[in-house]
Structures are given as C-alpha cells and as structure tokens.
Amino acid sequence: MMGDIYYLSGDGKRKIYLDRHPYWMQTGDILDYEWDYTVRNKRIRGFDKDVAEREFLISIFGNSEEEYNSNWKHLHDVFEQDVRDLTPGRLYFGRYYLRCYIVASAKSEWECDSGIVDNTLTLATDYPFWIQEASKQFFPQPDIVIESGFEYQYDYEYEYASDTVGTVSWPTDHFASSEFLLIIYGPCSDPRLLINGYPYQVYDVLENNDYMVIDSRENTVVKYLANGTTQNLYDMRAKEQSLFEKVPGGNLTVNWNAAFGFDLTLYLERSEPEWN
C-alpha cells in the first residue's frame, strides 16, 4: 500500500481524498511511465520526458440527491479553478506527489437516481515525475567544547557530538540529483555553504529576522525583510558556479561557517512512487 490518495488544489487549501467516500479511485494508468530518448548514429544518446496525459477512473457517491450533486460540483470546481488559474494541483500517492491539471472528465454508468456515477478523469503534467520532499534544518552552532559524554542542552535534530562544528552529514537514500529549496536565516553576511564540496553563495547581508529563499526549480533568489518587503537577489548570486546546481544523491556532507542557520528541502524525484 502507498498510503492516502488525494488531490491537493493549486492554492494548497482544498484536499480531495480519492480513496474514501464520496470519491473512490477504481483503476487507471497514472503509475505508468515512459522515457523519450534521442538517437544518433544508431546509439541512444540521452533521455527526456515530454508533457504526459494519464487517465484514472473514480466513482462519485451521494446518500441523497442533494449530497450527490454537491459532491459532483465540488470535484469539478476544484479541478476547474486550477486550470483557469494556471496553477497545477498535486496528486498524492502517500509521500509522493505529481504536479498536474485535471483536463478532461468523461461520465459513464450515469443514473441520476442511483446516487453513483463513474467518472474517467484525464490529468496532464508538464513534469511527469513523482516527488517526495525531504527536509533538514541546520542550526547556527555557537562556540562549544565537545567532551566525551557531553550533549548540548537543547534538543536539536542532530547531536553536536556526532559532527564537527560546521559540518553535518545527511544520508538521503536517493539515487539521483535533486532540485532544492534553500532558506537562509539572518543575521549573516554573504552566506555560503558547501554540499559535497560544491559552493552555494549569495553576496548580501541578512539582518536579524530577515531570510532569503533560493529556489532551484524556479531559478529565483528572494530576500524577505523583517519589515514585510521583499528584494530580488538574483543578480547577487555567486556566478562562478551555478547557484541552482542540483544537489547530488546519496550521502551528503554539508559545510558552512556555523554562524547562521538554514533549512534545506530536496525534491526527490522518481518515475513512479515507491511501493510501500
């Protein structure tokens, strides 16, 4: 089993479960996948994925005509708003989600007085990968003396005694490189960190209660100031090496000067969700 199956609207406010009353998923091809490949001189030279469509069948139930009509309307309105707003929703299978739109609906076994209709839905996605988000917090580390058997008084997600100050290990248990979201918190100046030796740096000052967000999927760097305003820091990024380089898979070693804290979220991608 994969866990809950549901659709989360593009604004993140509405969740439609598809594995319980009044919407039950029956079957579909949404877990199928296919890679496109390029051929030169009769040899496969690369792989890519194009926009994909998938279908799945659900049954819509209602204990009364009023409830039945309301359930049907709700389903349509959530899907339709995401399409009109050009904001993809997320179809979740357990921990994994697929960013997509519901672009077609075909009804069958449709009887108004039966309280049930079978509905074949078609989803479209321009990024046909199932994504699991893995996040870790990295705290500023004050000057401390680590002695045998000593533990820092605060209960952080890792023990200082397990890593050198300014060095943290993170086994991601993933086979491929990943897009990421990096949030750096002030106060700090020209924050820089290394992931497996690769540098990520922005040349700017964050005051107390300021933070910046680096989004590799959108290629953006935005500073959020304590007064509620924002600044575009795209031109302040280090340019010697790409700030948006994907984070490698496997075991990660993160190094920084330990003077500031940050959160790192990895978007772990698969062609199909894990079957557990």
Side-chain angles (χ1 to χ4, degrees), residues 24-234:
W24 284 95
M25 180 179 289
Q26 305 293 341
T27 186
D29 63 359
I30 57 177
L31 301 182
D32 297 343
Y33 70 89
E34 181 179 8
W35 283 94
D36 298 324
Y37 53 89
T38 57
V39 177
R40 292 194 301 272
N41 299 324
K42 298 182 180 181
R43 302 290 294 270
I44 295 177
R45 302 297 184 180
F47 293 90
D48 198 2
K49 289 189 177 184
D50 203 346
V51 173
E53 286 190 356
R54 296 288 185 266
E55 290 186 347
F56 59 100
L57 174 68
I58 68 170
S59 295
I60 304 173
F61 296 86
N63 294 322
S64 65
E65 182 176 355
E66 181 179 4
E67 181 182 304
Y68 171 68
N69 292 335
S70 175
N71 292 338
W72 199 344
K73 178 181 183 301
H74 177 64
L75 193 73
H76 168 272
D77 290 355
V78 172
F79 294 157
E80 186 82 354
Q81 182 172 345
D82 286 349
V83 169
R84 298 295 185 103
D85 292 345
L86 201 60
T87 305
R90 295 181 178 185
L91 180 62
Y92 276 86
F93 267 61
R95 305 187 310 272
Y96 290 85
Y97 65 85
L98 180 73
R99 298 168 68 186
C100 62
Y101 298 94
I102 305 299
V103 297
S105 171
K107 286 78 173 173
S108 60
E109 302 297 327
W110 181 16
E111 299 180 22
C112 294
D113 58 352
S114 68
I116 181 174
V117 63
D118 288 339
N119 192 4
T120 299
L121 299 172
T122 301
L123 68 81
T125 176
D126 55 11
Y127 200 75
F129 291 94
W130 292 90
I131 299 169
Q132 178 188 8
E133 297 183 4
S135 299
K136 188 172 179 65
Q137 292 182 301
F138 299 80
F139 296 93
Q141 301 176 11
D143 294 332
I144 57 176
V145 177
I146 298 179
E147 300 176 355
S148 177
F150 177 83
E151 292 187 0
Y152 196 63
Q153 61 178 321
Y154 299 107
D155 186 17
Y156 289 154
E157 290 190 359
Y158 58 89
E159 294 181 0
Y160 286 119
S162 65
D163 292 289
T164 304
V165 173
T167 300
V168 173
S169 297
W170 184 11
T172 65
D173 190 29
H174 193 60
F175 54 82
S177 58
S178 303
E179 302 283 4
F180 67 89
L181 187 76
L182 175 61
I183 304 175
I184 299 176
Y185 300 96
C188 59
S189 178
D190 301 338
R192 180 177 187 266
L193 58 101
L194 302 175
I195 302 178
N196 284 11
Y198 187 92
Y200 298 83
Q201 184 170 19
V202 178
Y203 297 108
D204 196 67
V205 175
L206 295 178
E207 303 294 348
N208 193 35
N209 296 322
D210 293 346
Y211 65 95
M212 73 170 66
V213 178
I214 302 169
D215 189 336
S216 73
R217 294 195 295 190
E218 302 297 332
N219 278 23
T220 56
V221 188
V222 179
K223 177 179 179 180
Y224 294 82
L225 286 80
N227 63 12
T229 62
T230 62
Q231 294 178 3
N232 184 347
L233 298 185
Y234 183 82

